[in-house]
Amino acid sequence: MSNMIEHHEIPGPEAYVDSAPVGSPWGNGSRREFLKLAAAGAASLGLTTTMSGCVIAAAGTRKLDFRDDFGILNFAYALETLESRFYAKVVASPPADLRSGELQILKDIGDHEKAHARFLKRSLQVLRVEVPMSVWPGIDFTRRQGVLTAARNFEDLGVAGYNGAGTRLRLAEFLTIAGKIVSVEARHAAVIRDLLNPNSRDFAGDDVVDANGLDRVLEPGEVLAQAQKYFAEPYRAVGL
Amino acid sequence: MPTTDFLEPKRLLPADPEIAARLARRQAEIDGGATTSASTRAGLMMGGAAIATAALAHDVFAQGGLPDIVVDVLNFALTLEHLEAEFYVRGVGTAGLIPGDMRAPFDQIRKHEVAHVAFLQGVLGSRAVAKPTFDFSGGAGSNNGPFADVFRNAQTFAAVAQTFEDTGVRAYKGQAANLMGHDDVLRAALRIHSVEARHAAQVRRMRGQKGWITGSMPGNLPDAAAASYKGESNKFQFILGQPDSNTQAQTEAFDETLTKGQVLAIVKPFIVGGM
C-alpha cells in the first residue's frame, strides 16, 4: 500500500472547553495554531492537506527523520504505542504471582500509555508513521519479576529518551507537551521500581540518577537501538 | 531470567559521563591555554573536586554568558531547590521524625535536592541568588502556619514534601520553553524535572496516594495545598481527538504546567519576608 486516505474527526468546541490550562501555551485558539503547525510540517514534507481534514499520507514507510519535530513525535508515538501494547498484554493475562494492588497499578499505567499514544496519533495526523507490530523477545509475561522488570526498563528508557530528545524540538508547544508526558513516565518508573524493591532508594536509584541529581539521558539513536527489537519491522532513522 | 538489552540499566559513574567528558574537554582546553575564570583555575589548582566541578560547570555552561531570561529561570529553580534541600536536610536530620520505612527514600531525595542546589549554583556562578530564610510551617515567618508540626509529625512532613515535589515538577515544566536554544541548560533542567517527578511519585505512595495526580485532587492534603493541583484536571491535550471515556486516566496521563507567578504564590508562605 503506497497511499492511504484518512478521515480525522475534529471535535467541536464542547470537547475541550473543560479547561484551557492556566499557564499552558495551549491557550484558546491552540487548535487553530496546532493545525497550522501540522499543515506547515506537512507542507515541508511535500504532503497535502485538504480543508475538510481529509489528508493524504505516504504510508508503509518506517522512516523517522530526527531533523524535525514531527520525526521526534513519531518516535515518541512508536514508544508510547509499544508501552501501551505491553501493558495491554500484561493486563489481559496477568502473572499469577502479582501481589495485592499491583494489577491496578499496571492497569493505570497502561491507561496512561494508551492516552499518550492516542494523543500523539491524533496530533500527528497526516505525518503519522504507522507503528509496526510488536514482538516481545526475552520478556517473561508469566512471572511478576519478568513483567515488572520489563516495565521498569520500558519506563526508564522512555524517561531517558524524552530527556534526550527535548533539545531537538523546535516548537515550544511540543517541548511543553513532551514535558507533560515525561514526568508521568518518571512517576511510572519510580512506582515500578518501588514495587521491585519497596521503601528503598531505587525509585530514583543511583543507577539512573547521577551525582549531580540528574536523570539518565539517551540520544534518540541509542533509544531506538534498544527498542528496535520489539518491532516486527525495523525503523530507519534519518538525521541522528 | 529474561534478558533484554536495557534490562541492565547503564550504571553511571559518580559524575555523569557526558558532563564529565565535557568538563574534561574544557579542562584540556584550559590546560592548552584557553582563557577561563580565576575561580575555575583556582578550583583546578586546589584539586578540590567539588569546587572544580562547580567552577567548571559554570565555565562550560556559561561560555559567552547566559542571557538574563535563562539566569532568571535558573535562579527561580535554585530558590525552589534551596527550599527542598533545606527541608529534607532538616527533616532527615531530626531524630525520631521519619519512620524506618521512609528513611531511605527521604534520604535519597535529600541527596538529590542538595546536589541540585550545588549544580545550579555551579552553573550560575556569581549570579546565583542567595538562599532565603524558610518557614516550613507555611507561616511566612511566624513558624505557626498550617504545617506547624512539620518537624514533629511524619505525616505532616510527608504532606509538605508531596506539595513541594508535585509543585516542583509543574514549575520546571512551565519554564522549559524559556530555555529553548540553550541546549546544555535545557537538557539539565529536563533531567532535574524527571527526578522531581520520581520523588513526587514516591512521596505520594508513602502517603497512601497513587503515584500520579488524578484530576485536580490534592490527595488528602489540607486546603492550603490546593493551589499546587489547580489545573491538573486539564483534558485539553485531547483537543485534536475525541476525549477518551476514561477521563480519570486522561488527567493522570499528563502533568500540567504552572507559571512562575503561580509557583511563587504557592511557596510564598514558606519564605520569611516573602519574595
Side-chain angles (χ1 to χ4, degrees):
Chain A
M1 185 171 71
S2 60
N3 285 311
M4 70 180 171
I5 298 176
E6 294 186 55
H7 295 267
H8 295 270
E9 294 178 38
I10 309 294
E14 70 282 356
Y16 54 88
V17 291
D18 175 55
S19 50
V22 181
S24 165
W26 294 81
N28 289 330
S30 282
R31 170 167 166 261
R32 190 167 58 245
E33 288 301 305
F34 192 100
L35 291 174
K36 207 161 66 185
L37 293 170
S44 75
L45 295 184
L47 304 173
T48 56
T49 307
T50 66
M51 291 303 289
S52 66
C54 176
V55 295
I56 302 168
T61 63
R62 307 289 187 216
K63 190 176 83 169
L64 294 174
D65 186 343
F66 288 96
R67 287 171 300 195
D68 71 38
D69 289 19
F70 297 96
I72 294 165
L73 293 186
N74 264 306
F75 179 49
Y77 172 55
L79 294 177
E80 297 290 353
T81 301
L82 182 63
E83 288 184 312
S84 176
R85 290 172 181 168
F86 168 78
Y87 290 105
K89 184 171 166 62
V90 170
V91 169
S93 181
D97 59 344
L98 279 187
R99 296 173 192 168
S100 172
E102 291 180 338
L103 181 59
Q104 185 60 49
I105 288 172
L106 294 168
K107 280 180 179 169
D108 282 358
I109 296 177
D111 285 344
H112 304 161
E113 308 298 9
K114 187 176 166 189
H116 295 161
R118 288 164 71 105
F119 165 72
L120 289 163
K121 179 178 181 177
R122 287 166 170 158
S123 300
L124 282 162
Q125 300 197 44
V126 62
L127 299 167
R128 179 161 56 88
V129 177
E130 289 291 333
V131 181
M133 299 287 285
S134 299
V135 290
W136 310 105
I139 297 177
D140 181 358
F141 283 91
T142 68
R143 301 282 300 277
R144 172 185 184 273
Q145 186 73 20
V147 164
L148 293 182
T149 303
R152 179 196 70 190
N153 290 300
F154 280 128
E155 299 297 339
D156 281 341
L157 185 69
V159 172
Y162 276 102
N163 282 345
T167 54
R168 290 174 179 249
L169 292 168
R170 289 292 164 262
L171 294 172
E173 290 82 356
F174 292 163
L175 177 62
T176 299
I177 199 78
K180 293 182 178 196
I181 293 174
V182 65
S183 57
V184 175
E185 301 292 342
R187 291 174 188 269
H188 295 166
V191 170
I192 297 288
R193 284 169 157 267
D194 193 59
L195 295 181
L196 283 163
N197 191 6
N199 306 321
S200 72
R201 297 172 184 268
D202 284 7
F203 68 98
D206 295 349
D207 57 331
V208 281
V209 181
D210 73 11
N212 288 313
L214 307 182
D215 217 324
R216 193 169 67 135
V217 61
L218 290 173
E219 294 298 328
E222 300 174 281
V223 178
L224 188 59
Q226 293 189 31
Q228 196 82 277
K229 68 181 178 185
Y230 299 103
F231 296 111
E233 299 169 52
Y235 281 95
R236 185 164 61 87
V238 176
L240 286 173
Chain B
M1 273 298 284
T3 57
T4 64
D5 285 348
F6 58 93
L7 285 181
E8 293 302 323
K10 187 161 61 177
R11 182 164 289 280
L12 299 177
L13 298 171
D16 183 293
E18 177 197 359
I19 290 174
R22 292 175 54 84
L23 295 178
R25 279 200 301 279
R26 183 61 185 149
Q27 181 159 11
E29 289 170 16
I30 293 166
D31 291 345
T35 57
T36 183
S37 69
S39 63
T40 303
R41 282 196 304 277
L44 291 170
M45 284 167 59
M46 289 168 65
I51 297 170
T53 298
L56 265 171
H58 178 59
D59 191 68
V60 166
F61 278 81
Q63 281 178 55
L66 292 170
D68 286 349
I69 185 171
V70 172
V71 171
D72 285 350
V73 170
L74 293 178
N75 270 325
F76 169 57
L78 176 57
T79 301
L80 298 178
E81 297 291 354
H82 271 309
L83 174 77
E84 291 182 312
E86 184 169 309
F87 174 72
Y88 291 111
V89 166
R90 281 189 61 180
V92 170
T94 300
L97 173 65
I98 297 173
D101 57 355
M102 293 187 188
R103 284 204 68 81
F106 274 129
D107 192 56
Q108 187 75 349
I109 296 174
R110 174 203 58 78
K111 185 172 82 174
H112 294 157
E113 308 300 8
V114 169
H116 292 163
V117 168
F119 180 79
L120 291 172
Q121 285 177 326
V123 173
L124 284 159
S126 62
R127 301 180 76 181
V129 290
K131 181 172 72 65
T133 303
F134 296 115
D135 172 1
F136 294 106
S137 80
S142 72
N143 287 308
N144 196 27
F147 307 104
D149 62 349
V150 62
F151 294 120
R152 297 190 304 274
N153 180 331
Q155 291 306 316
T156 306
F157 181 79
V160 174
Q162 181 183 317
T163 66
F164 285 172
E165 298 296 341
D166 277 335
T167 303
V169 172
R170 301 184 70 180
Y172 273 96
K173 196 188 318 296
Q175 295 304 312
N178 287 330
L179 300 176
M180 291 182 83
H182 306 280
D183 286 358
D184 292 327
V185 176
L186 173 59
R187 177 168 290 211
L190 292 175
R191 298 173 66 189
I192 294 176
H193 169 243
S194 60
V195 170
E196 300 293 342
R198 288 178 188 266
H199 296 170
Q202 180 69 22
V203 173
R204 294 177 65 88
R205 276 169 48 76
M206 291 193 295
R207 296 188 65 248
Q209 305 294 314
K210 287 187 174 187
W212 27 88
I213 300 166
T214 305
S216 54
M217 296 196 305
N220 197 25
L221 291 173
D223 292 345
S228 295
Y229 298 91
K230 189 180 174 194
E232 275 288 354
S233 59
N234 173 46
K235 296 193 283 288
F236 204 58
Q237 273 68 245
F238 291 79
I239 185 169
L240 288 168
Q242 294 150 335
D244 201 299
S245 58
N246 189 346
T247 54
Q248 176 174 312
Q250 282 181 34
T251 66
E252 291 173 350
F254 297 87
D255 282 337
E256 300 299 329
T257 58
L258 286 172
T259 65
K260 185 177 174 183
Q262 289 172 318
V263 173
L264 292 178
I266 288 167
V267 300
K268 192 175 179 183
F270 296 97
I271 296 176
V272 177
M275 294 198 56

